[in-house]
Amino acid sequence: MAQLLDDLSGFEFEDLMEDVFRNLGYQNVRQASKTADEGRDIIMEEHVDGQTRAVVVECKHTTRVGRPVIQKLHSAVSTFDYDGPRRGIVVTTGTFTNPATEYAADLQRGGDDGSIELLDGTDLREIGEEIGLDLYNGRIEVICEETLRPTHPTGPRDKPALEAFREIDNLDPQQIGDTHCEAVFKPTLEVSAAVDATFETSVGVIHDIDTTADISIAGDRGRPTTLSSSVDRLVRNNRAQAVDMDAEAFEQRFDRVDVEHFDRTETEYKDWVVDELRDRYTNTVHYTGDNNVDYEKICEPKQSDISVQSIDPVYVPKVSIEAQLGEYRYPYECYVAGPSHTTIEDGIRECVQCETSDQGETYTFCENCGSINCESHTKTERVEQEPICTGCAVTERFALKRKYFYDERNREQFRREYEQMAAHEKAMENPPLVAGSAVAVVLVLLFVLMQVGLV
């Protein structure tokens, strides 16, 4: 067992064990100062029967651990400043000597509040299998068995697209028919970390950071990135309602299902978060020295100032929906969490003529060709008095005004009707022209009357 982790330094082994205990469900897991550990490498908490208990951990990256190490930790646990019960754990990549094992057993039998649990290399191997620990390189793999719900709990798989279609004027939902739906489960991680850093000079503390930071990460291919604000809210608001990641069951509902893998190990994601937070909380501080001279200092948190409290992986379904109406295909893509979703691509509320996608625009369906159009590209068919788009309409000017028709047959029908109309009826095919002509006649009449002195 020891040989499997030989490439790790003592500090790297402590970093690894911090991740291990966090994955096992311990809370507020953090490392003690590396410069003065006082027998305490890791400090954390556990909840037992409704009571919180402190746990102090000593990490030994060595082949054999003797009784003195157990005694030292027992003393450290006994003097640990904590208002409540506490116990200790010694974890090693090797084995424990018989005296060490007997001493720990005596503490257990005595019911000592400062009892010590021993975890050797064999125990680590079993833990590794449970949490996805790669013992060969000291990395913890991401194990994710949950996903946000890929479909609406009471609606069809394409409900987000159907909701968009309902906002289109002149479109009967029955005209939509079957849609093609694919789901890609995107790996994400919610990470919570504590940042505790103090910066001092000869004049005292000039800057202090004591906060908790939450970061949501996209865990697919390439360098980790933070999720967009809309997807971040979707994950945080719906994480508690996640369901089991059952790809076979989802394949029964979608035309195609793809589950993307986490591109990195949990350990690598943690390292990225630490670097990200170090950069985020780096500040340039101005202060006045004892000599009344102004100074400037860059205050950058150290790696040891940042403690990752939790890494919670979950899949986020990206659902792609496509419907065909007449000559046109309409894509719609969104991240889904049960009844909630956030849109990535909306090819429905978009004009096929000019690609306008203004949310304040009214879009209308042209039943003649299946297109969806903005107001400027939607007209009224002269014969049927129904909406028609400028893209498919047959046009001709009557009374100097352009008229729109479904096809040649409707245009010919109206042409015959127009020929039978009285003059005033023909004129009413262009009301603005009639109104303008009337105004012109009145103005001419007034001019003539003014010339002859009657006005």
Side-chain angles (χ1 to χ4, degrees):
M1 174 66 192
Q3 294 178 350
L4 298 177
L5 296 174
D6 272 351
D7 289 341
L8 296 182
S9 68
F11 289 159
E12 288 173 333
F13 180 58
E14 292 172 18
D15 290 339
L16 172 64
M17 293 314 302
E18 180 186 356
D19 295 338
V20 167
F21 286 118
R22 178 168 35 78
N23 273 270
L24 289 174
Y26 291 93
Q27 299 182 351
N28 199 21
V29 181
R30 59 205 185 276
Q31 292 188 39
S33 172
K34 290 183 171 67
T35 57
D37 69 9
E38 300 177 351
R40 304 188 291 263
D41 293 329
I42 297 173
I43 303 168
M44 56 194 187
E45 294 176 348
E46 62 184 352
H47 295 291
V48 179
D49 296 330
Q51 189 176 36
T52 301
R53 177 165 60 189
V55 182
V56 182
V57 182
E58 175 78 7
C59 301
K60 287 297 179 182
H61 185 26
T62 184
T63 55
R64 287 180 69 79
V65 177
R67 174 172 173 154
V69 173
I70 315 304
Q71 291 175 313
K72 178 184 176 183
L73 181 60
H74 181 229
S75 176
V77 171
S78 301
T79 59
F80 182 49
D81 185 15
Y82 184 80
D83 185 18
R86 65 214 116 156
R87 71 182 184 96
I89 298 176
V90 178
V91 57
T92 179
T93 52
T95 60
F96 294 97
T97 64
N98 288 335
T101 304
E102 291 171 0
Y103 184 74
D106 289 340
L107 293 177
Q108 294 279 3
R109 284 193 292 268
D112 192 337
D113 183 36
S115 63
I116 306 297
E117 179 183 1
L118 305 183
L119 297 175
D120 61 16
T122 301
D123 297 321
L124 274 185
R125 191 190 310 276
E126 295 175 356
I127 291 172
E129 293 176 355
E130 177 182 345
I131 67 171
L133 169 62
D134 180 356
L135 295 176
Y136 287 92
N137 61 23
R139 301 288 182 177
I140 294 181
E141 306 297 330
V142 177
I143 295 180
C144 184
E145 299 176 346
E146 290 188 317
T147 178
L148 303 186
R149 294 180 182 273
T151 57
H152 192 286
T154 59
R157 62 182 189 173
D158 55 359
K159 187 174 178 62
L162 296 181
E163 291 177 353
F165 276 122
R166 288 193 187 98
E167 296 185 13
I168 306 302
D169 287 355
N170 195 48
L171 178 60
D172 183 348
Q174 299 297 323
Q175 295 172 283
I176 298 172
D178 293 334
T179 57
H180 181 83
C181 298
E182 297 183 358
V184 178
F185 291 84
K186 308 287 288 185
T188 66
L189 304 98
E190 288 186 281
V191 183
S192 179
V195 184
D196 186 2
T198 301
F199 303 90
E200 296 183 79
T201 67
S202 59
V203 299
V205 176
I206 61 169
H207 187 54
D208 182 72
I209 306 171
D210 184 8
T211 187
T212 298
D214 296 319
I215 299 180
S216 296
I217 304 173
D220 49 3
R221 300 179 183 85
R223 177 178 170 80
T225 57
T226 54
L227 297 179
S228 67
S229 58
S230 59
V231 180
D232 183 20
R233 286 192 299 272
L234 187 75
V235 174
R236 295 188 183 281
N237 293 340
N238 296 277
R239 180 63 181 88
Q241 288 75 46
V243 297
D244 291 342
M245 180 63 237
D246 189 347
E248 292 185 3
F250 298 143
E251 286 173 354
Q252 303 301 315
R253 300 206 65 180
F254 291 93
D255 297 301
R256 177 175 171 270
V257 168
D258 183 24
V259 182
E260 294 187 352
H261 298 292
F262 285 83
D263 191 53
R264 303 189 179 203
T265 66
E266 183 179 294
T267 307
E268 290 171 317
Y269 288 120
K270 187 191 95 168
D271 293 342
W272 182 85
V273 167
V274 170
D275 290 341
E276 182 78 4
L277 292 178
R278 290 184 66 193
D279 182 65
R280 178 183 298 184
Y281 288 98
T282 295
N283 288 282
T284 300
V285 177
H286 298 271
Y287 67 97
T288 302
D290 294 329
N291 55 359
N292 289 325
V293 175
D294 291 334
Y295 293 94
E296 180 179 286
K297 180 179 176 64
I298 297 176
C299 298
E300 179 181 10
K302 301 187 295 293
Q303 287 185 344
S304 58
D305 294 332
I306 300 173
S307 176
V308 174
Q309 304 294 299
S310 65
I311 297 180
D312 183 19
V314 66
Y315 287 105
V316 178
K318 184 177 76 171
V319 177
S320 300
I321 306 164
E322 187 174 80
Q324 180 153 4
L325 295 171
E327 305 171 12
Y328 296 91
R329 289 184 174 274
Y330 295 97
Y332 187 89
E333 194 170 72
C334 59
Y335 288 108
V336 176
S340 304
H341 67 272
T342 181
T343 302
I344 305 169
E345 177 189 5
D346 184 355
I348 298 172
R349 287 166 290 202
E350 179 179 291
C351 178
V352 302
Q353 312 295 336
C354 64
E355 299 184 353
T356 300
S357 57
D358 186 352
Q359 292 298 314
E361 181 79 46
T362 297
Y363 295 94
T364 303
F365 176 65
C366 174
E367 193 170 353
N368 194 47
C369 67
S371 64
I372 293 174
N373 305 272
C374 65
E375 294 176 75
S376 62
H377 289 95
T378 299
K379 304 299 178 180
T380 300
E381 208 274 349
R382 178 59 184 83
V383 175
E384 306 289 344
Q385 295 297 307
E386 295 292 338
I388 188 172
C389 74
T390 58
C392 72
V394 174
T395 66
E396 187 172 326
R397 290 185 179 277
F398 292 87
L400 302 179
K401 183 176 178 60
R402 188 180 299 277
K403 302 295 180 179
Y404 297 84
F405 304 93
Y406 282 147
D407 49 31
E408 299 282 352
R409 184 175 61 180
N410 276 20
R411 184 176 64 178
E412 291 304 315
Q413 175 184 333
F414 179 73
R415 183 180 291 160
R416 291 191 295 270
E417 293 175 2
Y418 184 77
E419 291 173 354
Q420 300 299 319
M421 290 180 182
H424 71 279
E425 292 177 325
K426 291 181 178 180
M428 289 309 297
E429 288 298 322
N430 193 345
L433 179 62
V434 173
S437 299
V439 171
V441 170
V442 171
L443 292 176
V444 170
L445 180 60
L446 286 174
F447 177 76
V448 171
L449 292 176
M450 291 174 64
Q451 293 299 314
V452 299
L454 294 179
V455 175

